[in-house]
Amino acid sequence: MSEAAAIAGSVAPVRTLAGGSAVLPIAGEGLVVRRGGRILIDGIDAAFEGHGITVVLGANGAGKSLLLRLLAGLVKPDGGAVTWAGRPPDRGRALGVGFVFQRPVMLRRTAIANVRYALKAAGVPRSERDAIARRALQDAGLEALADWPARLLSGGEQQRVALARALAPAPQALLLDEPTSNLDPASTLAIENLVGLAREAGTRIVHVTHDLGQARRLADEVIFMHGGRIVERAPAQSFFDGPSSGRAQAFLEGRIVL
Amino acid sequence: MQDLGGAFAQALWLIIELDRDLVEIVGLSLRVSLSAVLLAALIGFPLGAAIAVARFPGRGVVVAALNTFMGLPPVVVGLLIYVLLSRAGPLGELGLLYTPSAMVVAQTVLVTPIVAALTRQTVEDLRGEYEEQLHAFGVGAGGLVATLLWEARLSLVTVLLAGFGRAVAEVGAVIIVGGNINHVTRVMTTAIALETSKGDLELALGLGIVLLVIVLVINGLASGLRSAVAQASHV
């Protein structure tokens, strides 16, 4: 069980916040999504459990973000089904699966109030919210900005607040949809460090990215997608050493894949 | 028209000496219209936000109807409420006709669609940005409505203002259900109508100026409130 405090390495009472009941494994079976006659997700089977970071790679339109939204229960598939620990996703367990979007969505309130909002949604008692939220911001190196209006923070700071907010309820899984694609290198590094800490705390992470360098830095495992299908799924080392598919090979070499 | 300057002078004089009738009329106007706006907000905010968030068959028709009701003619609303509240009407028992309460009801009916329709538009614009994130938090339909209303709070101040402007300036509905009874149901607009028809243009103009000043002051207060809210809530 991951625990926000454990990420900081401090001693915390063992308790589950959003993880009241299990969400792992997160699994998709026979997933199909069609939009306007086009098939965007074309029969995907994938399950995520245990520990570590799975990086999802692929070109624009490969279906990476859509797969992540399906796994999060934000989009309903036209075919197949997603399950969390064997049952369909439900609101009660939503915060057991943290989600960070490409563009951070900040509520019009302070940074810490943003985190408290997520804790409230997770059903954390009011008296405990502030301490947990403050600790989550501290772990993200944001304690000095806790009482700042979230919408006045820089893009990188907003994304770190968004990540701290997703991690505060101690999710069992964390889904990241290109969280650093709009950020400068320093902010990207801060986000990657935070993601690394979450992984050490035992959070199961699925991370969609375009950034090959980032994939090499973070991945324990790689999923390569093309045309709404999973072309290849392999341990990071073997994928980067020599992908088995020609498309992945081309992608790694920076050739344009059509 | 004899003389506009004279009207201004008389209006000023009425205000300076805090003419008892004037204060009473202005007070009742504010009481009726502010009550109506408050009730309209209690109904219109959640209603508008719910329509913005919900997806159901016939939603487009509901939205179109709501937008149409924004332009309800006050005299028609007044007539409808009059029929409902008259002795022989279904709500005649309540004995509300020709009371300030009847005027509040009429203005509430007039203003609620305005508040609801503008709220619907405002919240719907925000929904696109927030919906997925809030679903990822496991927030349900009720929480979504409440959160979006709170996030829209700045724009909603302006919505209230639009509603108040409509209520305090209308004459058709309050004159039908209130009857413009001196010391009972006489408000600024009905008084202006009466004085004009009596030929007392100076007094009518004077009241008109007071009405404008009040609307101006309320607008100023609201924009002060808006920036206070903005500062306190970091938009």
Side-chain angles (χ1 to χ4, degrees):
Chain A
M1 177 61 40
S2 67
E3 173 67 47
I7 294 170
S10 59
V11 180
V14 176
R15 62 190 303 278
T16 57
L17 300 177
S21 53
V23 297
L24 294 176
I26 295 177
E29 262 188 55
L31 297 176
V32 175
V33 176
R34 296 183 207 92
R35 290 285 183 273
R38 291 174 59 209
I39 297 186
L40 302 182
I41 294 286
D42 189 6
I44 286 184
D45 298 296
F48 302 89
E49 56 190 323
H51 299 296
I53 300 181
T54 300
V55 167
V56 182
L57 285 172
N60 279 333
K64 310 185 295 292
S65 292
L66 189 51
L67 174 62
L68 211 59
R69 281 172 164 73
L70 286 166
L71 295 172
L74 297 175
V75 174
K76 300 272 167 281
D78 298 309
V82 168
T83 55
W84 294 350
R87 287 182 290 136
D90 56 272
R91 282 213 292 122
R93 293 183 292 164
L95 278 155
V97 182
F99 201 108
V100 175
F101 294 87
Q102 187 172 346
R103 282 187 47 222
V105 181
M106 292 288 113
L107 302 173
R108 289 170 167 82
R109 40 194 103 183
T110 60
I112 193 160
N114 266 273
V115 182
R116 281 198 302 256
Y117 182 93
L119 291 168
K120 183 183 174 200
V124 176
R126 179 186 290 270
S127 59
E128 297 171 34
R129 284 178 212 153
D130 197 67
I132 298 172
R134 218 160 270 284
R135 208 162 52 204
L137 287 177
Q138 215 170 2
D139 295 341
L142 291 166
E143 61 269 42
L145 300 176
D147 298 309
W148 271 58
R151 293 206 163 219
L152 296 187
L153 300 175
S154 74
E157 287 161 350
Q158 289 193 17
Q159 194 59 289
R160 279 153 73 197
V161 171
L163 188 50
R165 185 174 63 183
L167 288 172
Q172 297 161 40
L174 180 63
L175 309 180
L176 305 167
D177 186 9
E178 305 195 38
T180 62
S181 62
N182 297 325
L183 304 186
D184 63 20
S187 303
T188 300
L189 183 64
I191 295 282
E192 287 183 10
N193 287 340
L194 205 51
V195 170
L197 288 171
R199 171 230 252 145
E200 279 166 35
T203 313
R204 185 67 172 92
I205 295 165
V206 182
H207 184 150
V208 166
T209 183
H210 268 119
D211 179 347
L212 265 180
Q214 182 167 66
R216 288 181 198 273
R217 288 191 294 275
L218 291 178
D220 297 307
E221 179 192 49
V222 174
I223 285 179
F224 182 75
M225 288 183 68
H226 184 83
R229 297 171 195 239
I230 292 181
V231 176
E232 189 168 345
R233 179 172 184 172
Q237 195 62 49
S238 67
F239 179 83
F240 289 119
D241 286 349
S244 54
S245 66
R247 284 191 196 283
Q249 183 68 47
F251 185 84
L252 283 183
E253 287 168 6
R255 282 190 278 126
I256 298 197
V257 196
L258 294 174
Chain B
M1 165 122 0
Q2 299 95 325
D3 137 43
L4 201 62
F8 272 109
Q10 189 173 356
L12 268 181
W13 183 240
L14 286 174
I15 297 167
I16 289 167
E17 68 169 6
L18 282 177
D19 180 81
R20 215 153 48 91
D21 283 358
L22 178 81
V23 169
E24 189 184 328
I25 289 173
V26 169
L28 183 65
S29 284
L30 288 179
R31 196 153 58 84
V32 167
S33 295
L34 288 174
S35 305
V37 169
L38 179 70
L39 288 173
L42 288 177
I43 304 166
F45 282 165
L47 180 66
I51 294 172
V53 166
R55 284 168 191 150
F56 52 92
R59 181 176 177 280
V61 177
V62 170
V63 170
L66 200 57
N67 289 339
T68 307
F69 287 155
M70 285 174 78
L72 277 179
V75 282
V76 173
V77 170
L79 181 60
L80 279 173
I81 302 297
Y82 179 89
V83 170
L84 284 176
L85 295 182
S86 64
R87 285 276 169 236
L91 300 176
E93 296 286 304
L94 300 175
L96 286 179
L97 202 59
Y98 303 132
T99 67
S101 300
M103 298 154 78
V104 171
V105 170
Q107 291 198 343
T108 302
V109 171
L110 205 57
V111 172
T112 299
I114 296 176
V115 173
L118 295 178
T119 301
R120 201 269 315 159
Q121 184 63 56
T122 306
V123 169
E124 201 163 308
D125 291 345
L126 280 183
R127 188 190 71 182
E129 185 189 349
Y130 285 88
E131 194 173 30
E132 262 200 330
Q133 177 69 71
L134 296 182
H135 279 168
F137 287 154
V139 172
L144 189 62
V145 165
T147 302
L148 289 177
L149 277 176
W150 182 244
E151 291 296 305
R153 59 198 178 276
L154 266 189
S155 313
L156 295 184
V157 172
T158 312
V159 169
L160 284 186
L161 208 56
F164 176 78
R166 169 78 158 171
V168 79
E170 72 85 20
V171 58
V174 282
I175 208 163
I176 293 180
V177 302
N180 192 25
I181 302 166
N182 204 5
H183 302 304
V184 182
T185 58
R186 180 160 299 169
V187 291
M188 282 186 285
T189 52
T190 57
I192 291 170
L194 178 69
E195 299 306 335
T196 305
S197 63
K198 276 171 31 185
D200 192 349
L201 295 183
E202 279 87 357
L203 184 57
L205 268 172
L207 280 164
I209 291 163
V210 175
L211 179 58
L212 277 178
V213 168
I214 284 178
V215 172
L216 194 70
V217 167
I218 296 271
N219 267 289
L221 287 177
S223 96
L225 174 67
R226 219 183 116 99
S227 51
V229 169
Q231 274 192 344
S233 60
H234 335 296
V235 177

